[in-house]
């Protein structure tokens, strides 16, 4: 009897062992899906990851069936899964759930897309048979016309001048029922009449859901400028020393064109490329640029695609004719690649590359870097990694400075265009003098007016969605809060609801204050929806669009918003951080950063880093072609060093300042962070459990342990939360750290008072 160790798509640690019956033994191989029993009556789709002859010392159940003829999981993928499970302290089952599309996790979960085709019935596939059919339909003129239309569409001309060979050739032409109906304008009754007589027969054919990008056009690759060519050459040289290279290029320096040249080089060498972007919105513009060059060699993969589409892409990547280039968001790191040569992580600094909830809380950049460390690949097969950005993450830049990564810098914009002029406006002083018009300073309003008068475009950045972040009673100060979470509710005026942005629960907008009865309820602060309202009031001739989570819930919404702005159908774009990331518009002359302070005052050690990146990136959207752009940066704290550094685009000084602070206070890149979260419905229980776990961890880690404390949002979805922080110096044995953390977790959960407490870990949090 042989045995197989499998991964189940459940949040459970370790592998599960099943016996393989003699009838199935020939079909079981590593990486295939198996249907296995669990419990009294449940079955699951498991993944085979180890075959052996070691009989366990417990009763073993048998595999029910083998679901694949060939593996759906490749050895290099499994290596990545094991690393993720170990490093991010997540069960392998959670990796499985996150990696595979849902249709591959169920026995009958995926149904191929089919289309109905029409052909001649077997009895009429001769010249004589066709004459008989036409004669049969003499009194059914609509059916006769439809048959003649069909014959014309497949290429049958005069029947008297027709031989058997030519008829066989024309019948090989496939025609869909939809094409026949649309072209012939026939009635459903006429078609049914022909199929009832079996003169025409229909059949189903699998057609797939994937878009076809047309033929590749390498001739569409643009020549590189001198600076771009130098950077390209340096990258190739750096890859001879380092498998990972950081490309630090200012906004609008033409990094994309360098990427395209590097991609083509890999394709010429017979290898595949994975191109990662942090936001689905960015794939729209990038898809158009890459498809114009690589055509049907390009595939797109992200969470806004239907599950069936993602299944088909997964299967295509395992086929003999996979996509050579995949463009996708973070989940694309899980796709199977047979000959991966290059991974490009564009906008590598972006926090969107880190998965937050649910598990696994992985970082796609780190996962990509680990791909070139796979023990299942020889050195020649391991992909090169290119990290590209105008504002590097502190960790990546530090690794480059220390020689762990290669570093290539591109300091000039394409065609030597000037960086935008950044003007800082002190809104605190303007509010004191009552010179602000809502969220707009006089300088910003004048700049918007000038841009619109000159047929240019404007981007306004406000990193808060909704109409107002909170509603307040003007008389008594009452503020509505979510009943499930420890947060105030956001007003969404267009929907006339109050919404919790943590649990999604919605409430009706009250007509009166429940505390004092006053009807003087007002929105406090400005979200993107309110900015949109005010822009339309101040500039009624403007064609305004808003890009935030509320307006981009479908992938078509992204495409429509970006296409409208790129074509000039809209000329003012208001949005959250998604508009700051790598979008390229020709006619933008003004960018307004409405409230820098909401980013700078966030209670997190990375707040300044994220704020600098967002402000620098959104500023880079201005003046990208033809003229120098203007950025109006509104803040109540113009004297802050970070504001001056954004104005001067002085990444180097900003990096030095951050590095000194991080070293002093034991933060990355000098220390690793692990957050431990505990959740429970009762605050007293989670408080006690967290105190107990913290005391255990201090036995092993001493002063490296901080907390437990309440996080800034201490209740989400009715669950009270406590947080413990571990600061770990480099060189510490991480395997032993994880072992101690698991021991502490088990000690908490085995205590009957804390059995229902949820414990989870966030490694390298953002």
């Amino acid at each position: 009897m042989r045995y197989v160790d499998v991964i189940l798509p459940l949040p459970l640690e370790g592998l599960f062992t099943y016996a393989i019956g003699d009838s199935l033994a020939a079909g079981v191989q590593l990486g295939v899906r198996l249907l296995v029993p669990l419990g009294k009556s449940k079955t699951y789709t498991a993944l085979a990851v180890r075959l052996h002859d070691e009989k366990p010392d417990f009763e073993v159940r048998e595999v029910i069936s083998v679901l694949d003829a060939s593996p759906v999981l490749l050895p290099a993928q499994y290596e990545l899964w094991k690393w993720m499970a170990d490093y991010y302290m997540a069960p392998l089952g959670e990796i499985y759930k996150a990696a595979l599309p849902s249709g591959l996790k169920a026995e009958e979960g995926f149904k191929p897309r089919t289309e109905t085709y029409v052909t001649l019935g077997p009895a009429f596939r001769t010249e004589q048979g066709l004459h008989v059919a036409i004669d049969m339909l003499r009194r059914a003129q609509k059916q006769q016309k439809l048959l003649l239309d069909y014959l014309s569409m497949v290429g049958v001309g005069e029947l008297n001048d027709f031989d058997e060979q030519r008829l066989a050739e024309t019948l090989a032409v496939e025609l869909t029922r939809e094409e026949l109906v649309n072209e012939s304008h026939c009635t459903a009754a006429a078609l049914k009449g022909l199929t009832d007589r079996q003169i025409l027969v229909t059949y189903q054919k699998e057609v797939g859901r994937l878009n076809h990008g047309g033929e590749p056009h390498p001739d569409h690759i643009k020549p590189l400028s001198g600076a771009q060519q130098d950077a390209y050459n340096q990258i190739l040289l750096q890859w001879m020393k380092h498998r990972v290279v950081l490309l630090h290029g200012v906004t609008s320096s033409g990094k994309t064109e360098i990427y395209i040249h590097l991609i083509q080089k890999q394709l010429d060498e017979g290898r595949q490329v994975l191109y990662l972007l942090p936001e689905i919105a960015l794939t729209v513009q990038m898809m158009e640029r890459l498809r114009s060059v690589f055509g049907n060699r390009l595939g797109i993969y992200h969470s806004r695609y239907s599950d069936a589409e993602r299944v088909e892409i997964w299967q295509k990547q395992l086929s003999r004719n996979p996509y050579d280039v995949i463009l996708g968001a973070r989940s694309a790191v899980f796709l199977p690649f047979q000959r991966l040569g290059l991974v490009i992580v564009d906008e590598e600094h972006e926090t969107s590359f880190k998965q937050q909830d649910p598990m696994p809380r992985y970082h796609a950049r780190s996962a990509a870097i680990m791909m070139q460390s796979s023990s299942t690949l020889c050195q020649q097969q391991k992909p090169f990694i290119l990290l590209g950005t105008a504002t590097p993450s502190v960790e990546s830049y530090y690794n480059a400075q220390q020689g762990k990564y290669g570093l290539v810098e591109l300091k000039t914009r394409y065609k030597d265009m000037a960086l935008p002029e950044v003007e800082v406006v002190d809104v605190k002083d303007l509010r004191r003098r009552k010179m602000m018009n809502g969220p707009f300073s006089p300088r910003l309003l004048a700049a918007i007016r000038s841009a619109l008068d000159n047929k240019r475009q404007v981007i306004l950045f406000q990193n808060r969605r909704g109409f107002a972040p909170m509603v307040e009673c003007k008389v008594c100060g009452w503020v509505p809060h979510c009943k499930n979470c420890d947060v105030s509710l956001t007003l969404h005026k267009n929907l006339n609801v109050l919404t919790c942005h943590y649990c999604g629960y919605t409430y009706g907008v009250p007509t009166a204050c429940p505390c004092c009865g006053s009807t003087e309820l007002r929105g406090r602060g400005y979200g993107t929806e309110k900015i949109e309202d005010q822009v339309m009031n101040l500039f009624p001739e403007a064609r305004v669009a808003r890009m935030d989570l509320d307006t981009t819930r479908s992938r078509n919404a992204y495409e429509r918003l970006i296409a409208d702005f790129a074509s000039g159908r809209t000329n003012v774009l208001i949005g959250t951080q998604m508009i700051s990331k790598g979008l390229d518009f020709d006619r933008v002359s003004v960018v307004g950063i409405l409230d820098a302070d909401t980013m700078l005052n966030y209670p997190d050690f990375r707040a300044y880093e994220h704020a600098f990146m967002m402000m620098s990136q959104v500023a880079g959207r201005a003046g990208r072609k033809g003229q120098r752009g203007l950025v109006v940066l509104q803040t109540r704290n113009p004297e802050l060093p970070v504001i001056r550094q954004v104005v001067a685009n002085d990444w180097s000084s900003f990096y030095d300042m951050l590095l000194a602070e991080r070293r002093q206070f034991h933060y990355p890149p000098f220390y690793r962070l692990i957050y431990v979260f505990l959740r429970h419905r009762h605050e007293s229980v989670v408080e006690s459990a967290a105190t107990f776990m913290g005391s255990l961890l201090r036995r092993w880690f001493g002063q490296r342990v901080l907390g437990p404390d309440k996080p800034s949002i201490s209740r989400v979805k009715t669950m009270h939360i406590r947080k413990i922080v571990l600061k770990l110096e480099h060189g510490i044995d991480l395997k032993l750290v994880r072992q101690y953390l698991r021991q502490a977790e088990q000690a908490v959960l085995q205590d009957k008072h804390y059995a229902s407490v949820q414990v989870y870990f966030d490694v390298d949090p953002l």
Side-chain angles (χ1 to χ4, degrees):
M1 178 71 75
R2 296 215 74 194
Y3 300 92
V4 60
D5 292 345
V6 304
I7 309 172
L8 293 175
L10 298 169
L12 302 172
E13 296 290 343
L15 304 176
F16 294 78
T17 303
Y18 288 86
I20 306 171
D22 293 341
S23 62
L24 299 179
V28 178
Q29 54 183 310
L30 297 182
V32 300
R33 295 174 303 148
L34 308 172
L35 188 66
V36 299
L38 188 71
K40 291 184 178 179
S41 58
K42 290 188 176 181
T43 60
Y44 289 95
T45 301
L47 276 168
V49 293
R50 180 173 174 255
L51 294 168
H52 58 90
D53 300 308
E54 304 161 14
K55 184 178 180 180
D57 56 3
F58 52 84
E59 184 179 349
V60 181
R61 302 175 73 177
E62 286 196 12
V63 171
I64 298 171
S65 62
V66 181
L67 302 179
D68 300 303
S70 58
V72 299
L73 180 71
L74 301 180
Q77 289 175 281
Y78 183 45
E79 287 285 318
L80 183 65
W81 287 22
K82 288 192 293 183
W83 173 81
M84 276 190 177
D86 181 52
Y87 187 81
Y88 292 108
M89 303 188 67
L92 263 174
E94 292 284 8
I95 311 292
Y96 173 15
K97 286 170 63 178
L100 260 69
S102 296
L104 292 176
K105 295 195 287 273
E107 180 184 3
E108 299 294 345
F110 169 72
K111 294 182 179 179
R113 181 181 175 186
T114 60
E115 195 159 356
T116 303
Y117 281 75
V118 181
T119 189
L120 271 177
F124 302 96
R125 292 178 182 176
T126 63
E127 181 181 343
Q128 181 182 358
L130 285 175
H131 281 291
V132 170
I134 292 170
D135 190 57
M136 284 172 59
L137 300 173
R138 189 172 298 163
R139 294 185 179 180
Q141 292 186 355
K142 289 183 178 179
Q143 292 181 32
Q144 187 184 70
K145 177 183 179 301
L146 177 56
L147 175 60
L148 293 173
D149 285 342
Y150 166 81
L151 295 172
S152 174
M153 291 175 71
V154 297
V156 176
E158 294 293 329
L159 293 184
N160 294 330
D161 186 24
F162 210 82
D163 57 42
E164 302 293 326
Q165 181 179 351
R166 188 175 167 202
L167 179 61
E169 291 172 355
T170 57
L171 290 178
V173 176
E174 294 189 301
L175 188 69
T176 68
R177 180 171 63 184
E178 184 179 15
E179 289 173 318
L180 176 61
V181 169
N182 290 343
E183 187 72 21
S184 66
H185 305 291
C186 73
T187 63
L191 181 57
K192 185 176 186 301
L194 289 180
T195 54
D196 286 347
R197 296 173 189 260
Q198 294 191 325
I199 295 173
L200 291 182
V201 294
T202 60
Y203 62 97
Q204 299 294 312
K205 181 180 176 183
E206 186 175 336
V207 293
R209 298 169 173 84
L210 305 183
N211 294 323
H212 302 287
E215 290 298 312
H217 285 281
D219 51 299
H220 289 176
I221 297 179
K222 299 174 184 176
L224 298 178
S225 68
Q228 289 171 326
Q229 187 66 51
D230 287 345
Y232 174 87
N233 294 336
Q234 287 181 51
I235 291 167
L236 297 181
L237 285 172
Q238 289 283 351
W239 273 336
M240 296 175 70
K241 306 174 190 174
H242 310 277
R243 302 294 294 190
V244 182
V245 171
L246 173 64
L247 173 60
H248 179 197
V250 298
T251 55
S252 200
S253 57
K255 294 185 289 295
T256 301
E257 295 306 322
I258 297 174
Y259 300 155
I260 289 173
H261 280 253
L262 292 168
I263 292 170
Q264 186 61 50
K265 185 176 189 300
Q266 291 296 315
L267 301 192
D268 291 343
E269 295 172 0
R271 305 191 74 186
Q272 295 172 289
V273 176
L274 171 59
Y275 190 138
L276 292 174
L277 286 165
E279 289 279 359
I280 296 168
L282 296 183
T283 63
V284 176
Q285 279 197 329
M286 192 58 67
M287 177 185 69
E288 293 174 359
R289 178 69 187 105
L290 296 183
R291 188 161 279 168
S292 71
V293 175
F294 303 111
N296 55 21
R297 302 181 78 175
L298 173 72
I300 315 296
Y301 191 85
H302 55 64
S303 60
R304 290 292 170 90
Y305 272 47
S306 70
D307 185 72
E309 286 173 301
R310 282 180 279 156
V311 169
E312 291 194 6
I313 292 174
W314 190 284
Q315 292 175 333
K316 182 173 175 63
Q317 291 309 96
L318 292 167
S319 72
R320 293 183 179 179
N321 184 34
Y323 287 120
D324 293 315
V325 185
I326 289 287
L327 174 67
R330 64 174 177 258
S331 59
V333 297
F334 292 116
L335 279 173
F337 289 91
Q338 302 176 55
R339 40 188 170 79
L340 186 61
L342 171 62
V343 181
I344 296 170
V345 185
D346 198 9
E347 311 292 347
E348 67 85 24
H349 63 279
E350 277 293 342
T351 58
S352 302
F353 280 125
K354 178 75 189 288
Q355 166 77 9
Q356 298 298 335
D357 284 308
M359 282 198 290
R361 295 173 179 84
Y362 70 97
H363 199 300
R365 180 186 63 212
S366 300
I369 291 170
M370 285 306 300
M371 287 179 178
Q372 54 86 39
S373 301
S374 172
S375 61
T376 62
L377 300 176
C378 68
Q379 190 66 20
Q380 288 74 24
Q381 292 176 310
K382 293 178 180 178
F384 295 111
I385 311 296
L386 182 63
L387 311 177
T389 178
T391 53
S393 64
V394 169
E395 287 87 344
S396 292
Y397 198 71
Y398 180 78
N399 284 334
Q401 293 285 355
Q402 297 298 306
K404 185 176 179 180
Y405 301 166
L407 176 63
V408 175
E409 298 195 281
L410 187 56
K411 297 183 177 180
T412 58
R413 280 184 145 193
Y414 185 64
K415 294 185 178 179
D416 294 321
M417 286 184 294
L419 287 164
E421 177 187 2
V422 182
E423 290 187 18
V424 178
V425 175
D426 184 351
V427 295
K428 181 172 64 176
D429 179 60
L430 290 172
R431 289 201 189 282
R432 182 177 57 80
R433 294 191 282 158
K434 295 184 169 47
M435 294 179 65
M436 292 290 288
N437 189 334
F440 301 104
S441 64
R443 180 67 185 101
L444 180 54
L445 290 175
I448 296 172
R449 168 54 60 206
S450 175
L452 296 178
D453 289 347
N454 288 290
K455 310 300 183 188
R456 308 295 289 179
Q457 291 178 302
V458 176
I459 288 178
L460 298 176
F461 174 61
Q462 176 75 344
N463 205 29
R464 278 182 173 171
R465 63 187 176 101
F467 188 82
M470 63 190 300
V471 170
E472 182 183 61
C473 173
K474 195 174 180 180
V475 175
C476 72
W478 171 81
V479 173
H481 280 73
C482 177
K483 67 179 182 181
N484 301 318
C485 309
D486 184 24
V487 293
S488 59
L489 297 169
T490 300
L491 172 63
H492 289 256
K493 187 179 177 184
N494 288 350
L495 299 174
N496 194 36
V497 294
L498 296 169
T499 300
C500 174
H501 287 172
Y502 284 83
C503 70
Y505 199 85
T506 58
Y507 304 77
V509 179
T511 55
C513 173
C515 288
C516 69
S518 170
T519 57
E520 295 190 62
L521 302 177
R522 60 182 180 181
R524 291 285 302 274
Y526 295 89
T528 49
E529 192 182 322
K530 191 171 185 179
I531 302 296
E532 181 184 29
D533 254 20
Q534 299 213 351
V535 168
M536 290 191 291
N537 288 333
L538 292 166
F539 304 98
E541 78 282 11
R543 301 180 300 278
V544 183
R546 173 165 52 94
M547 183 182 283
D548 56 27
L549 189 61
D550 299 311
T551 62
T552 56
R553 295 193 181 275
S554 71
R555 82 177 192 231
N556 292 336
Y558 281 108
E559 295 171 3
R560 176 180 51 79
L561 284 166
I562 290 170
D564 285 351
F565 196 65
S567 66
R569 286 191 291 272
T570 53
N571 52 16
V572 178
L573 180 63
I574 299 158
T576 54
Q577 60 180 346
M578 63 177 64
I579 67 170
S580 71
K581 302 171 183 178
L583 296 173
D584 186 2
F585 301 112
D586 293 353
R587 294 184 286 271
V588 175
S589 63
V590 173
V591 166
I593 300 173
L594 297 177
D595 187 1
D597 305 298
T598 55
M599 297 178 281
L600 294 167
N601 295 335
Y602 194 76
D604 185 87
F605 78 96
R606 295 187 191 270
Y608 274 26
E609 180 184 2
H610 293 162
F612 181 94
M613 290 169 175
M614 271 195 276
M615 289 189 284
S616 296
Q617 289 283 343
V618 77
R621 305 310 111 206
R624 295 175 69 84
K625 292 183 182 176
Q627 68 177 56
R628 190 181 189 195
L630 170 67
V631 178
V632 179
L633 193 163
Q634 299 185 165
T635 175
R636 293 184 293 277
N637 300 285
E639 71 286 348
L640 287 176
V642 65
I643 298 295
R644 295 197 300 270
Q645 289 153 350
V646 169
V647 171
N649 195 42
D650 188 356
W651 164 254
S652 181
S653 294
F654 177 70
Y655 169 77
D656 290 341
M657 179 186 77
L658 274 188
L659 216 60
E661 290 180 357
R662 300 280 180 88
R663 182 182 283 110
Q664 180 181 357
F665 295 107
H666 295 182
Y667 282 112
F670 304 103
Y671 282 70
R672 290 184 183 275
L673 294 183
I674 298 178
Y675 291 169
V676 184
F677 290 97
L678 297 92
R679 298 193 298 192
H680 196 270
R681 292 189 180 277
H682 299 295
E683 187 169 17
S684 60
V685 174
V686 76
E687 178 72 36
S688 177
T691 301
F692 174 48
M693 188 168 186
S695 66
L696 291 176
L697 293 176
R698 281 193 178 84
R699 293 182 193 173
W700 299 311
F701 300 112
Q703 296 304 308
R704 300 180 184 92
V705 179
L706 303 177
D709 292 310
K710 283 186 178 183
S712 55
I713 308 298
S714 62
R715 188 169 66 101
V716 174
K717 298 180 181 177
T718 73
M719 303 292 279
H720 293 272
I721 305 169
R722 291 297 182 270
K723 172 180 160 185
I724 300 170
V725 176
L726 264 69
K727 293 184 176 181
L728 305 169
E729 66 273 22
H730 289 290
I732 197 168
D733 186 341
L734 291 178
K735 184 175 181 180
L736 194 59
V737 168
R738 289 189 283 268
Q739 180 181 322
Y740 284 145
L741 285 170
R742 289 297 189 198
Q743 287 181 21
E745 177 188 22
Q746 289 304 311
V748 170
L749 299 181
Q750 287 169 6
D751 188 309
K752 64 180 182 180
H753 298 99
Y754 310 134
S756 56
V757 171
Q758 297 175 9
V759 180
Y760 63 94
F761 306 96
D762 190 358
V763 179
D764 298 340
L766 290 181

